[in-house]
Each structure stands twice: as structure tokens, then as C-alpha cells.
Amino acid sequence: MRVEIWSDIACPWCYVGKARFEKALAAFPQRDQVEVVHRSFELDPGRAKDDVQPVLTMLVKKYGMSEAQAQAAEDNLGVQAAAEGLDYRTRGRDQGSTFDMHRLLHLAKEHGLQDELIRRLYRANFAEERSVFNDDERLVEIAVGAGLDEAGVRKVLADPQAYADAVRADEREAAQLGATGVPFFVLDRRYGVSGAQPAEVFERALTQAWGER
């Protein structure tokens, strides 16, 4: 069975949702027969690479929150992440374009390293101090740590067209499937689960999708 997950590295609920899904998958009796594929979805497609701003600034502008409300939302996410055993910095994070990260995830897919790379990108963005945005050297460091060849990573980052079509194809497919936000989980092209649902919801979806194969 194949599970496709549309997500974005800048999406905190994707970070939490991945952990909840993995908890459900670990308890699933047929887990060794489940293939997980990560698909690209940018929350802010077309954003300039050098357009980096604090998360709180983005929340205030995008959702009309006060700064206090934006900080409360981040604090809540910190609590949700901690409940899943994840580290989450509720202060001082920034946000920018994730296009290059998605391109690298397609490179990683070809080498069987996609899940390892996305895990490291999430941790770098949400738990570590150094920004992952507009910093090719940071992305090289993370990708090489995931097992990718440095020369190959640098070649992709140097060519804005490398895997660009693959990223856009994923995003078009998400739209065709009716996904307006992420995370979005598709099980065997039979069932869709939207959002960072509790592990129990994913357990039921896995069981149902498997039973109807």
C-alpha cells in the first residue's frame, strides 16, 4: 500500500502530523508493506528566495493576528509538538521560500533518502537555531547529513530548473485531488486524510484502506 503525504517544510502542522502518522504506522500490523512517498506543496509558491521574515511577522500580516495572538499560536504549537516528542522553538524562528528544499527532496527520493531528508529539514527549521532559508550552505549541510552526495546537492541548488517540474507536478496533482492545505495524506488513492489528525484517525484510515485492497 502506498501513502502519499503532501506537506511543506514551513508548515508546523506538517511537522506534528508526520509524527502522529508515524506513530499510527508503527502500530499497523502491515507496516512493512506500506510505502510512504512525500509530495511537494508550498504554502507560499513563487516566494522570492531572499524574502525571509520572522514567523510572528508573517502570522500578523497573513492572518490579521495581533503579535500576542501570534505568539500564543506558536506556544500552542510548541505544546502540540512536545506531546509527540518533538522539539519546537516558539521564539525567534523565521520563514521563507521552501522551493529549493522540495527540489532536494525529489533528488533524495531517487536515492531512497527522502524520509531521512525531510526529517532533518523539519528538525532544522523547527528545532534548531540556524535558519534554513536563503542559505545554500545550510541546505548542503543538512542534505549531506541525510546521506546525499555533496556534489549532487550543490549541482541541484546551482540550477533553479533542476526538479522544478517535479515540484510543480506534485502541486498540480494536489490541486486536482482537492487539497487546499497541508498536511494532506492519500492512502492508495482511495482515502484522503487532511490535517494533523490524532494517531487514532490515521490508524483507522490505514486499517480501512488495507482492508479494501
Side-chain angles (χ1 to χ4, degrees), residues 1-6 21 25 28 30-39 106 109 114 170 173 177 184-193 205-206 209-210 213:
M1 183 165 70
R2 170 180 280 198
V3 177
E4 296 162 280
I5 307 174
W6 273 265
F21 170 76
L25 184 60
F28 185 57
Q30 291 82 21
R31 60 186 176 276
D32 293 339
Q33 298 178 64
V34 177
E35 176 192 13
V36 178
V37 178
H38 296 283
R39 301 289 193 190
H106 279 280
K109 181 183 177 184
Q114 195 182 41
D170 277 357
E173 194 165 12
L177 290 170
F184 185 62
F185 301 77
V186 176
L187 291 75
D188 249 7
R189 291 298 169 110
R190 291 174 178 268
Y191 297 98
V193 178
L206 286 165
W210 183 266
R213 285 178 62 79

Side-chain angles (χ1 to χ4, degrees), residues 17-81:
K18 182 177 187 294
R20 291 176 177 171
F21 170 76
E22 288 175 347
K23 185 181 293 183
L25 184 60
F28 185 57
Q30 291 82 21
R31 60 186 176 276
D32 293 339
Q33 298 178 64
V34 177
E35 176 192 13
V36 178
V37 178
H38 296 283
R39 301 289 193 190
S40 299
F41 189 107
E42 295 169 276
L43 291 175
D44 195 357
R47 185 172 184 167
K49 185 170 180 174
D50 62 356
D51 180 9
V52 181
Q53 62 181 324
V55 167
L56 292 190
T57 300
M58 180 276 295
L59 291 173
V60 168
K61 288 181 178 178
K62 187 172 183 177
Y63 299 106
M65 297 178 170
S66 68
E67 190 165 320
Q69 288 172 324
Q71 187 59 67
E74 280 292 280
D75 290 340
N76 173 59
L77 275 160
V79 171
Q80 299 284 339

Side-chain angles (χ1 to χ4, degrees), residues 122-140:
Y122 275 139
R123 177 168 180 79
N125 183 37
F126 292 110
E128 296 174 3
E129 189 170 344
R130 183 177 167 190
S131 176
V132 296
F133 300 105
N134 196 24
D135 185 347
D136 284 359
E137 290 306 313
R138 178 67 165 138
L139 294 184
V140 169

Side-chain angles (χ1 to χ4, degrees), residues 66-182:
S66 68
E67 190 165 320
Q69 288 172 324
Q71 187 59 67
E74 280 292 280
D75 290 340
N76 173 59
L77 275 160
V79 171
Q80 299 284 339
E84 304 304 329
L86 302 172
D87 293 328
Y88 189 96
R89 292 177 65 232
T90 61
R91 304 288 192 280
R93 289 196 309 105
D94 60 7
Q95 192 176 58
S97 171
T98 56
F99 187 57
D100 284 350
M101 298 179 217
H102 285 295
R103 295 194 302 116
L104 288 176
L105 283 165
H106 279 280
L107 170 67
K109 181 183 177 184
E110 294 182 352
H111 297 277
L113 294 168
Q114 195 182 41
D115 196 69
E116 179 64 18
L117 179 57
I118 200 169
R119 184 184 68 80
R120 287 173 179 262
L121 286 170
Y122 275 139
R123 177 168 180 79
N125 183 37
F126 292 110
E128 296 174 3
E129 189 170 344
R130 183 177 167 190
S131 176
V132 296
F133 300 105
N134 196 24
D135 185 347
D136 284 359
E137 290 306 313
R138 178 67 165 138
L139 294 184
V140 169
E141 174 189 300
I142 295 166
V144 170
L148 286 169
D149 172 68
E150 180 177 343
V153 172
R154 291 188 182 280
K155 184 177 179 181
V156 169
L157 291 175
D159 178 7
Q161 297 307 312
Y163 299 101
D165 288 347
V167 174
R168 299 304 182 215
D170 277 357
E171 293 173 337
R172 285 195 301 271
E173 194 165 12
Q176 291 165 3
L177 290 170
T180 56
V182 284

